[in-house]
Each structure stands twice: as structure tokens, then as C-alpha cells.
Amino acid sequence: MTTDGAGAMNIVEIMRYLPHRYPFLLVDRVSECDGKTFIRGMKNVTMNEPFFQGHFPGYPLMPGVLVIEALAQLTSILAWKIFDTTPDGGQLIVFAGIDNARFRRQVVPGDTLLLEGRLNRLVRGIGKFEVRATVGADMAAEASLLAALRPNPAAVGHS
């Protein structure tokens, strides 16, 4: 068991940065965030997840796209910190791209998915992040993700 580091966030704090809610909120805790280049968090994977009913009956696997989504959610928290702003309804951090995604280990109920993101570069409101998800010492997934700060179309004209 590790202790939480600088920039740690509990679920209430996470929900201040992410618009996602159950069943699509896929980050349970942030254990470390320097607010500039690095973030680490986790997702407890339980049999209660709604996607296990159909993926796959008799052999429950967390879909790889949801592992990537968990990483995207984690890095969007870092992006808010980097942009030195908070989600106020006027802007969104949106998933803008993915490169070099690789899945190396299946994620199953009972696993603790450890999530990490590191800023690679930031140009004109678009951040490129190197991300990885592990279970214990085993790599589950890795990729390069793009996140962009954009106006929230739902907020236009509603100030």
C-alpha cells in the first residue's frame, strides 16, 4: 500500500474536474498530480461494472476502449491543471486522438488498474500525453492520447 502524494484527489475532488458520472466515471482516485506534467491514479475494477453483463458472459473482461477511456479521463484532469483553469461549463477537455495503442494484458474483475499520464507536448490548446495502465507489475495498455481545450457548445449563449 502506498500513501497518496502531492496533488492527490478523492472521488469528490475528481468529480469537480470530470463531467462523467456513474456508470461512466472511470477514475476512483488520483494518488499524485504535479499539475504540470504528470498524474497517477487508479480504477478499482469490480464485477458490479455494467459492461461485464455483456463483455463477455462467462468470461468478464474490461473492454480495452474503456481502459483507454479511463486513461483519457485521468489525463483530462491533468490538462485542466496545466491550463490553470477549472471546468466552469464554458469549456470542455475533449478527447482528440489516439496513437500507438497497445493492449498487453486483460483486465478482469478484482484488478486494480493503475493509471499514469505524462505530458509530451502542448501546442495551441492541444496536449499530447503518453499514458499507460498497469495491473501490479504487468502492463495492461499504453498509448499516446491527444486532449484539446474547446468551447462547450452546450454553454453557448447560456451564461
Side-chain angles (χ1 to χ4, degrees):
M1 181 84 173
T2 61
T3 58
D4 287 342
M9 300 169 76
N10 64 30
I11 193 66
V12 173
E13 293 165 308
I14 290 167
M15 291 190 309
R16 289 185 190 130
Y17 284 88
L18 296 177
H20 309 80
R21 295 296 180 262
Y22 179 83
F24 214 66
L25 179 59
L26 299 175
V27 177
D28 291 328
R29 182 174 19 160
V30 172
S31 57
E32 183 180 350
C33 180
D34 69 5
K36 296 178 179 131
T37 61
F38 182 76
I39 190 166
R40 178 180 291 133
M42 49 98 47
K43 162 74 178 143
N44 289 313
V45 181
T46 71
M47 190 59 197
N48 296 331
E49 310 286 350
F51 50 80
F52 285 132
Q53 293 177 27
H55 199 270
F56 295 102
Y59 188 63
L61 296 176
M62 184 173 184
V65 295
L66 292 183
V67 174
I68 295 296
E69 175 63 25
L71 289 162
Q73 288 180 19
L74 183 79
T75 55
S76 70
I77 295 169
L78 178 57
W80 283 116
K81 298 279 189 175
I82 291 168
F83 294 131
D84 195 28
T85 188
T86 56
D88 60 4
Q91 295 182 309
L92 293 172
I93 300 284
V94 295
F95 187 33
I98 183 170
D99 291 311
N100 304 314
R102 297 289 179 263
F103 301 94
R104 311 232 183 249
R105 179 197 190 276
Q106 296 172 345
V107 179
V108 298
D111 285 345
T112 298
L113 195 59
L114 302 174
L115 311 165
E116 291 185 1
R118 186 172 303 279
L119 178 67
N120 181 301
R121 71 174 180 259
L122 180 63
V123 178
R124 292 187 300 273
I126 300 174
K128 182 175 184 179
F129 298 87
E130 303 305 318
V131 298
R132 68 184 198 153
T134 58
V135 176
D138 298 331
M139 180 72 66
E142 57 189 339
S144 295
L145 304 180
L146 296 176
L149 181 65
R150 295 291 181 253
N152 182 350
V156 174
H158 295 91
S159 10

